[in-house]
Amino acid sequence: MSEAKETRQFEAEVTQLLKLMIHSMYSNREVFLRELVSNASDAIDKLRFEALSDEDLFEGQTDLRIEIEIDADENALILRDTGIGMSRQEVAENIGTIAKSGTQQFLEKMTGDEKEDARLIGQFGVGFYSAFMVADRVVLKTRRAGADEGVRWESRGDGEYTLSATRREERGTEIKLFLREDAEDYLQASKLEGVIRRYSDHISFPIYLIDPAEEEEQRRKQVNEASALWTRPRAEIDDEEYVNFYKHVARAFDEPLTWIHSKVEGLLKFTLLFYLPTERPLELMGPDQRDVSGVKLYVKRVFILDDAEMFLPRYLRFIRGVVDSDDLSLNVSREILQDNRVVASMRKTATKRVLKMLGGLAEDPEEYRTFWESFGAIFKEGIVEDPGRQQEIAALLRFASTGVEGKGQTVSLDDYKERMKEGQEAIYYITADTFDAAVASPHLEIFEEKGVEVLVLTDTIDEWVVSHLREYEDVPLRSVDRGALELEQLGEEKSEVSESDEDRDQIPEKWKSVVESVKAKLEDSVRDVRLSRRLTESPACLVREEWEMGERMRRLLNQAGEAVPAGKPTLELNPDHQLVMRMQQMEDDEIGEWARLFFDQARLSEGAVLEAPAVFVRRLNKLMGELAQQ
Ligand code: ADP
């Protein structure tokens, strides 16, 4: 044998995980069987795939199966598969470390609540280690298809493992679990059969249960259906089977919110089974989100590819499931798939079906809200990414709004349209970092007064969404801080002589010198100064032209390292505000001081960071002091 026995340490994280697993996952431990069977099935899938280009890997043995054998003498359970197996290096990489970026996050998320933590385990893909929930010693022997030598791995789950070479005739992996005393009920065939049926009926390869204690002809029996779930007619599959299959393909522990299973038969023939998860999978969380899709590609029932992102647009990357094509060739590669007419056409159909599924889900607002909270921020990217379906996607968006009571409540654009006031010409929105910051904005004063609803957008992506979504069903979307407002006359008797735009911009005689003076003082910072019609309480606010970038977008771009200079907004002063009225009696210098103060205030309320906050504070205190003396 070429390499001697060696003892290695687990990564610190693995050890920590094992401890947790052993001590806290007691109530749900039967899932170890599902995890190991699931790995075995993946290994056979991989073998079949690799053998497409190298038939020798079968080594003349095309019997693809999983076996579970009871060894009552040793109080052990043996799981065998005729899959791809592992090389020494693969064993060390896959079983001794947790290469997944999620491990640390997983450990941080552990709650101490058994059920919750057991559920998390699945999400974080630590399947193999679940063996230690029932075993105090695990021996794994494996030989990679085509390799001469096998590998033996052994551990007690206590921080170290040994690796050694071993002679092994059979290709694939064998895992022997020496059961803990309190887990010996897994030596009962009936118990095992129940668990396998519950969790693994959908596995496409036969699973045999071997019980040497039985009579000869009963000794080895197949316990699952062994036909790929998606190939079976919908009517014959019950919800539980669908849910269990989801847990297998998605490697998840949550329940799917909903799913679609359809056979497409036309120019192209393919089957898709797509699930919408309830919770955001780990790989789609946090700053180092991996940009993976959760779709597996099969061709004529043979597994071809994980993360087959070409079958759905990016904004649907939360979908988990399977596509099985009859048209593609078995030896397609990822590169070929990227630019392929058949794939493009499948993707179109798949996208349509998913959007339709979401439309259906939206009929149940509670369920839809769950979807929206988990995936809304991803789904919104579709507005930017998929202009051809923009309106369809827009109908599925949900927004916080001043029109609904209670945080967390959302509205659709259709809801909004239904509530629009007579004469209202646009769908109004405000963007801010938080809901509370948004609703306190001076820009909303006129909307509140007129009873006009405003959508409140607080996700980072929203800035991009609204810059691409110009209208919904012919109604323009408009930011509350843009241009002149057409709200004044809403809900009021139209005046006999309606004002022309020019008239509206006319500044009454008594204000002229104040406005001129403010304009001169703030020349470097503002484009224009005018009297406001949108403020009822605040003294001032900033508005921008339709084409101008908003303050929040500017800030986000700056944070992303793209330097965008501050624009020159227009300052609007509220002519009915006490402090603003006082300006009429002020000297030029004093007007300048107040103008600066109003300008800075308006910027602060937009969420901007002042260049010199201390100057602002000093000015504020000085002017308050003067007022106090009057
Ligand atoms: P996951 O299956 O989520 O990747 P596991 O801890 O269950 O995590 O397995 C880690 C890796 O070990 C697998 O991705 C696979 O590469 C390898 N592996 C596990 N079981 C087997 C097996 N029976 N045959 C071949 N490889 C396996």
Side-chain angles (χ1 to χ4, degrees):
M1 304 257 148
S2 57
E3 280 168 280
K5 180 164 168 172
E6 55 177 322
T7 300
R8 298 195 190 186
Q9 303 295 316
F10 282 123
E11 280 183 333
E13 284 147 359
V14 177
T15 312
Q16 205 176 341
L17 200 65
L18 284 172
K19 261 197 210 129
L20 267 166
M21 189 99 66
I22 294 163
H23 298 295
S24 65
M25 306 296 164
Y26 189 84
S27 56
N28 202 16
R29 60 187 185 170
E30 66 187 23
V31 299
F32 81 94
L33 207 53
R34 169 179 72 191
E35 295 298 306
L36 298 181
V37 166
S38 185
N39 281 348
S41 159
D42 288 350
I44 300 176
D45 266 341
K46 269 185 223 159
L47 171 74
R48 223 170 29 172
F49 172 67
E50 288 191 21
L52 290 174
S53 49
D54 180 5
E55 217 171 298
D56 292 346
L57 291 178
F58 278 126
E59 302 174 355
Q61 213 262 60
T62 48
D63 180 16
L64 303 176
R65 63 188 145 75
I66 299 166
E67 287 176 351
I68 300 172
E69 182 173 339
I70 298 168
D71 180 347
D73 295 339
E74 292 205 83
N75 285 344
L77 213 53
I78 305 165
L79 277 97
R80 255 180 241 114
D81 65 66
T82 54
I84 189 76
M86 282 178 272
S87 66
R88 188 175 184 124
Q89 191 185 345
E90 283 169 330
V91 172
E93 274 170 14
N94 295 334
I95 310 286
T97 62
I98 299 187
K100 310 244 157 65
S101 62
T103 313
Q104 200 53 47
Q105 272 166 289
F106 167 69
L107 292 168
E108 280 161 16
K109 286 191 86 166
M110 297 293 294
T111 58
D113 176 68
E114 263 182 47
K115 274 224 176 92
E116 179 65 13
D117 291 347
R119 196 183 53 71
L120 281 171
I121 288 242
Q123 266 195 351
F124 290 79
V126 287
F128 174 80
Y129 300 101
S130 62
F132 289 100
M133 297 200 284
V134 293
D136 48 20
R137 182 159 75 96
V138 176
V139 176
L140 173 145
K141 290 183 194 166
T142 182
R143 184 171 64 77
R144 201 174 201 290
D148 295 332
E149 210 172 70
V151 195
R152 182 181 186 282
W153 175 99
E154 173 170 353
S155 177
R156 292 182 176 274
D158 55 359
E160 26 173 78
Y161 63 94
T162 60
L163 267 183
S164 55
T166 184
R167 200 170 291 285
R168 193 173 151 71
E169 283 298 309
E170 287 164 86
R171 169 196 70 223
T173 304
E174 174 183 299
I175 302 172
K176 189 162 182 179
L177 309 172
F178 293 88
L179 297 176
R180 301 161 168 276
E181 226 167 81
D182 62 6
E184 283 174 5
D185 45 338
Y186 289 102
L187 293 173
Q188 293 162 16
S190 58
K191 167 124 191 172
L192 290 170
E193 202 176 321
V195 178
I196 297 165
R197 276 195 204 284
R198 171 128 32 103
Y199 292 120
S200 308
D201 214 22
H202 59 267
I203 295 283
S204 341
F205 307 103
I207 304 174
Y208 296 97
L209 185 59
I210 304 172
D211 183 2
E214 284 286 344
E215 301 287 323
E216 178 77 40
E217 62 276 15
Q218 286 288 315
R219 218 165 265 172
R220 187 174 192 272
K221 63 175 179 186
Q222 185 174 333
V223 282
N224 69 329
E225 282 258 357
S227 60
L229 186 86
W230 65 89
T231 60
R232 287 159 48 194
R234 253 193 326 229
E236 288 176 17
I237 308 173
D238 63 28
D239 284 1
E240 199 184 1
E241 284 179 283
Y242 274 119
V243 169
N244 281 323
F245 183 67
Y246 163 74
K247 293 182 181 186
H248 169 65
V249 280
R251 305 231 139 222
F253 263 54
D254 61 341
E255 302 268 315
L257 255 185
T258 182
W259 57 83
I260 28 169
H261 180 191
S262 43
K263 271 195 173 51
V264 180
E265 286 179 337
L267 241 38
L268 294 175
K269 270 180 77 173
F270 66 97
T271 302
L272 58 81
L273 172 52
F274 282 166
Y275 293 91
L276 179 62
T278 302
E279 291 178 31
R280 232 190 222 221
L282 174 83
E283 58 271 21
L284 296 179
M285 288 196 290
D288 49 26
Q289 287 193 24
R290 281 192 299 147
D291 191 6
V292 293
S293 111
V295 174
K296 283 182 199 281
L297 169 66
Y298 285 74
V299 172
K300 303 179 190 78
R301 260 64 64 208
V302 177
F303 168 77
I304 303 292
L305 204 65
D306 270 320
D307 298 345
E309 76 283 350
M310 58 297 281
F311 292 95
L312 282 175
R314 268 196 45 143
Y315 65 94
L316 298 178
R317 61 187 179 277
F318 45 82
I319 294 292
R320 297 286 175 261
V322 167
V323 249
D324 188 344
S325 161
D326 277 2
D327 306 291
L328 291 168
S329 121
L330 279 168
N331 49 26
V332 286
S333 65
R334 193 174 278 272
E335 291 65 41
I336 292 176
L337 289 168
Q338 296 298 2
D339 189 23
N340 177 294
R341 288 220 330 269
V342 173
V343 174
S345 161
M346 286 169 72
R347 174 183 164 115
K348 211 163 142 193
T349 308
T351 307
K352 225 188 290 172
R353 302 271 160 119
V354 173
L355 292 180
K356 197 167 149 221
M357 168 177 89
L358 293 175
L361 189 75
E363 283 168 23
D364 182 334
E366 265 314 301
E367 298 223 314
Y368 200 72
R369 194 203 317 246
T370 307
F371 155 68
W372 192 254
E373 283 170 6
S374 294
F375 303 114
I378 294 177
F379 180 69
K380 283 181 202 173
E381 294 169 13
I383 294 289
V384 183
E385 187 188 336
D386 197 349
R389 293 199 186 79
Q390 200 180 61
Q391 293 294 304
E392 205 181 334
I393 295 167
L396 293 167
L397 299 181
R398 294 294 179 270
F399 300 94
S401 165
T402 60
V404 281
E405 293 284 325
K407 267 192 198 170
Q409 295 290 327
T410 57
V411 303
S412 67
L413 292 175
D414 287 321
D415 296 337
Y416 184 102
K417 276 183 62 187
E418 254 170 48
R419 288 194 287 258
M420 276 170 67
K421 296 267 174 198
E422 212 177 304
Q424 184 182 341
E425 289 167 7
I427 296 172
Y428 292 102
Y429 65 84
I430 181 166
T431 66
D433 291 338
T434 62
F435 187 88
D436 292 338
V439 295
S441 163
H443 289 115
L444 291 198
E445 290 169 9
I446 179 89
F447 289 88
E448 197 174 332
E449 188 181 283
K450 302 283 181 183
V452 172
E453 182 171 2
V454 176
L455 302 177
V456 179
L457 313 187
T458 54
D459 278 338
T460 310
I461 174 89
D462 289 334
E463 294 286 346
W464 280 268
V465 170
V466 288
S467 66
H468 283 77
L469 184 66
R470 294 309 173 104
E471 54 177 44
Y472 178 66
E473 292 182 343
D474 300 327
V475 185
L477 265 77
R478 192 164 297 155
S479 170
V480 294
D481 68 351
R482 292 305 149 89
L485 270 181
E486 53 282 313
L487 281 184
E488 301 94 69
Q489 288 161 8
L490 255 192
E492 285 168 15
E493 298 283 307
K494 290 236 155 115
S495 61
E496 296 248 316
V497 236
S498 90
E499 297 172 85
S500 71
D501 281 355
E502 275 166 44
D503 290 340
R504 294 203 322 184
D505 288 342
Q506 280 291 318
I507 299 173
E509 206 53 44
K510 58 177 180 179
W511 280 104
K512 269 193 177 138
S513 72
V514 172
V515 169
E516 283 310 315
S517 166
V518 173
K519 213 187 285 189
K521 298 287 178 195
L522 296 179
E523 197 180 29
D524 293 340
S525 316
V526 302
R527 174 197 318 279
D528 197 8
V529 176
R530 63 179 180 228
L531 296 181
S532 184
R533 293 157 191 264
R534 66 181 96 207
L535 295 173
T536 58
E537 283 172 33
S538 306
C541 69
L542 296 172
V543 298
R544 292 182 173 74
E545 300 303 316
E546 285 295 338
W547 44 265
E548 250 179 323
M549 186 182 291
E551 166 59 25
R552 185 158 179 269
M553 181 69 136
R554 197 179 66 81
R555 219 165 352 115
L556 292 171
L557 287 173
N558 280 343
Q559 278 162 13
E562 231 173 290
V564 186
K568 270 193 170 185
T570 294
L571 178 71
E572 285 198 356
L573 292 171
N574 178 359
D576 299 324
H577 193 279
Q578 261 197 344
L579 292 174
V580 179
M581 282 198 283
R582 273 172 174 260
M583 288 172 114
Q584 289 181 7
Q585 277 88 52
M586 291 178 195
E587 296 295 321
D588 198 46
D589 276 353
E590 206 184 347
I591 289 180
E593 284 293 282
W594 281 96
R596 246 311 132 193
L597 184 78
F598 290 147
F599 176 73
D600 283 350
Q601 273 190 0
R603 291 196 61 215
L604 279 177
S605 67
E606 288 186 327
V609 177
L610 298 181
E611 288 76 23
V615 175
F616 167 75
V617 172
R618 200 174 313 141
R619 181 176 290 123
L620 179 66
N621 286 331
K622 181 178 142 232
L623 294 178
M624 283 200 306
E626 285 170 15
L627 279 186
Q629 280 168 15
Q630 284 170 20

